[in-house]
Amino acid sequence: MSNRQLLVSKIENGIVIDHIPAGKAFLVLKLLKQPSDAETLIAQNVVSGSLGKKDLIKIEGTYLTSSEIDIIAFVAPNSTLNIIQDWEVKEKRVIKPPENIKGVFQCPNLLCQTNKEFAAPPTDFKVETGEKIEETKLHCTYCGSTTWYGSILEKIKSEEFKIESRGLVSEAKIEKVFLEALIKGGALRFPPSADKPFILKSGRPSPYFVNLGALTDGESLAKVKWAFASYIALLMERGEIPDFDYVFGPSYKGISLATLTCEGLNELYGMDKRYMYDRKEAKEYGDLSTDRVLVGASYFKPGQRILVVDDTITTGITKVETIEKLRLLGDHEIVGLVIAVDRLERLGDKDNIEDMGAVEYLEKELKLKVHSIQNIKTIYSLIKDSLNEDMRELWEGYYSKYGLSKLE
Ligand code: CTP
Ligand code: ZN
């Protein structure tokens, strides 16, 4: 590596926006909604083979939304966006203006329906590009009005300019912060020594125990809220979870998770979802009949979509039973299940070990996609170095017997 490259150090997980036209880095940075404590490196006017001079931004622990990338394209076209995972460049793309841009710029025509005072549709422009970025024009798809590059740039530079969708957090950062919170709050526990494993309900002697119910302090709950909301927003941005109306948490532990998730999605990402949970024992009086079993269901409209959240899956069978209660709603769609930790374990008990894992069972039984914020393989790789020989043997022995695959 040449000395010049050492000017800016490598990052572990996050984004690098490279080949930014010299002098534009601060404008790009202003457009990105980064928390004030984000680890950020900015280099200005550094030597670049192709451009003469360039700017560069590196942000650890972040992930950009597609609307952020689209706007960057107007001020720093042909910059390269690198997504870094585990120190490696996982994805590289050249940032170009999108074909259409929705809901960001106002139409200059005051009579356009997008400028109506009530129930105006979000704006939608077709982007016309030329050889140079200055030749870019926007054409309103409602009224045909044209916006020239000068006014686009002026808007972007103005103080009030905001990109509606909030800044997303990278998966690696969510995993790391969440794991620390689980350990600190006592939701992820390890036995004092290798000869005293936790005996699970299944009878299996486990090297760890997950129980989100142990998180009862405000600081831990705030982290759980942040982790679930950030992870769900990321999955939605990537198209892995379609939009939904409700967050359902199976009682009892799922109740607080569902409420925290709804609150987090609202506070951090401006989404407005309702929560719902099931009563373990149906109420005998009052309310509408569905509400006696499903709290929150009185607002449900046929065809609405539900996301399920929970801490972990042990056998999967109880989850099938709870989710069956949702049939009371009539026409509905379950868009996915988000859990805190995937144990990556085979079904069965101490002596019976099936081929199938709980997640696969749920995906088969309920045709449901399961997403986990953390899984035990990642957790093991993060804690392994702090374990003694006996403890590592316990972990590896357990997973070669009950795991879907070996550890490492
Ligand atoms: N980078 C980083 N941290 C890493 C890996 C890469 O900050 N762990 C940065 C590099 O410093 C570089 C950018 O990400 O600015 C792209 O990395 P790479 O593709 O390895 O570099 P180049 O080949 O120079 O990229 P390009 O071909 O896009 O110029
Ligand atoms: Zn218009």
Side-chain angles (χ1 to χ4, degrees):
M1 190 190 277
S2 76
N3 289 339
R4 202 174 277 290
Q5 275 169 300
L6 287 171
L7 181 66
V8 206
S9 67
K10 291 206 160 200
I11 63 169
E12 186 175 1
N13 289 291
I15 53 151
V16 174
I17 312 174
D18 198 356
H19 308 126
I20 300 173
K24 291 279 165 57
F26 277 95
L27 180 54
V28 171
L29 198 64
K30 165 189 171 288
L31 296 174
L32 307 177
K33 271 206 198 71
Q34 293 303 316
S36 52
D37 62 350
E39 236 175 89
T40 310
L41 282 163
I42 302 163
Q44 283 188 294
N45 301 313
V46 292
V47 176
S48 154
S50 55
L51 291 170
K53 300 241 164 171
K54 66 171 184 185
D55 286 4
L56 180 131
I57 299 175
K58 303 189 181 195
I59 312 176
E60 183 72 56
T62 221
Y63 187 87
L64 297 185
T65 64
S66 39
S67 22
E68 285 173 318
I69 298 169
D70 287 350
I71 298 299
I72 294 173
F74 288 100
V75 298
N78 303 318
S79 312
T80 318
L81 172 65
N82 297 278
I83 305 205
I84 314 289
Q85 271 172 27
D86 287 331
W87 304 104
E88 301 282 329
V89 178
K90 273 281 139 64
E91 217 183 297
K92 186 190 280 288
R93 61 182 263 207
V94 176
I95 302 179
K96 300 257 185 218
E99 283 178 14
N100 269 77
I101 186 139
K102 289 190 182 149
V104 176
F105 300 109
Q106 233 190 320
C107 178
N109 171 10
L110 292 178
L111 298 174
C112 178
Q113 20 168 340
T114 60
N115 283 319
K116 277 193 312 188
E117 203 159 333
F118 297 105
T123 60
D124 183 4
F125 295 91
K126 193 163 178 357
V127 182
E128 183 191 328
T129 50
E131 227 160 83
K132 292 198 191 118
I133 188 69
E134 292 78 15
E135 290 165 17
T136 311
K137 287 181 199 125
L138 302 182
H139 302 287
C140 176
T141 57
Y142 289 92
C143 71
S145 293
T146 303
T147 310
W148 271 265
Y149 186 70
S151 13
I152 302 172
L153 202 59
E154 206 176 292
K155 285 213 176 95
I156 293 177
K157 284 182 172 169
S158 71
E159 273 313 308
E160 318 82 73
F161 185 77
K162 271 204 199 92
I163 301 173
E164 265 323 309
S165 68
R166 318 292 164 109
L168 292 171
V169 185
S170 72
E171 192 164 356
K173 179 162 178 188
I174 300 171
E175 283 177 354
K176 190 164 158 272
V177 173
F178 191 51
L179 176 61
E180 282 163 10
L182 291 180
I183 295 176
K184 191 169 172 218
L188 178 61
R189 299 211 329 260
F190 308 107
S193 61
D195 58 351
K196 295 193 183 71
F198 294 115
I199 307 301
L200 304 179
K201 220 196 281 179
S202 61
R204 294 179 182 174
S206 175
Y208 69 99
F209 190 68
V210 185
N211 171 23
L212 254 68
L215 301 178
T216 52
D217 61 299
E219 191 189 327
S220 302
L221 293 176
K223 296 245 172 71
V224 170
K225 174 170 98 173
W226 174 87
F228 269 82
S230 303
Y231 187 57
I232 291 167
L234 186 66
L235 293 173
M236 289 172 82
E237 173 69 23
R238 289 190 197 153
E240 291 175 45
I241 296 182
D243 199 9
F244 54 89
D245 307 284
Y246 273 87
V247 178
F248 174 76
S251 63
Y252 293 101
K253 271 178 254 165
I255 302 175
S256 56
L257 278 183
T259 56
L260 287 170
T261 301
C262 286
E263 204 193 319
L265 286 172
N266 188 261
E267 184 187 312
L268 304 167
Y269 299 99
M271 292 183 219
D272 201 11
K273 312 296 181 197
R274 290 183 184 274
Y275 79 86
M276 198 192 295
Y277 66 86
D278 59 316
R279 290 182 198 278
K280 285 215 167 169
E281 282 152 37
K283 202 163 102 172
E284 303 286 335
Y285 53 88
D287 292 325
L288 300 164
S289 64
T290 320
D291 229 69
R292 290 185 189 173
V293 181
L294 295 169
V295 178
S298 39
Y299 294 99
F300 186 84
K301 295 190 206 69
Q304 282 193 313
R305 296 188 280 189
I306 303 166
L307 178 72
V308 183
V309 291
D310 212 347
D311 59 353
T312 180
I313 310 173
T314 322
T315 64
I317 295 159
T318 38
K319 210 128 301 170
V320 172
E321 285 167 3
T322 349
I323 290 172
E324 298 241 298
K325 289 188 189 165
L326 294 174
R327 290 205 177 149
L328 273 171
L329 296 170
D331 181 23
H332 70 278
E333 188 193 337
I334 303 175
V335 298
L337 168 64
V338 176
I339 55 170
V341 182
D342 186 352
R343 295 188 59 103
L344 298 172
E345 199 165 312
R346 293 173 192 277
L347 289 173
D349 52 30
K350 186 165 185 289
D351 304 308
N352 300 307
I353 304 161
E354 292 174 35
D355 283 339
M356 201 190 271
V359 166
E360 191 190 345
Y361 170 76
L362 275 182
E363 292 188 338
K364 281 222 168 95
E365 199 65 21
L366 295 170
K367 310 266 172 298
L368 193 62
K369 183 88 187 81
V370 181
H371 310 269
S372 61
I373 304 179
Q374 258 297 1
N375 70 65
I376 212 61
K377 263 194 168 174
T378 318
I379 292 179
Y380 183 68
S381 71
L382 293 169
I383 61 162
K384 200 179 105 198
D385 289 341
S386 63
L387 299 175
N388 65 30
E389 188 93 356
D390 291 350
M391 208 58 108
R392 274 191 222 176
E393 247 166 54
L394 175 66
W395 275 89
E396 279 160 27
Y398 188 87
Y399 271 88
S400 57
K401 189 163 178 191
Y402 300 117
L404 287 168
S405 65
K406 289 190 176 181
L407 290 172
E408 282 188 297

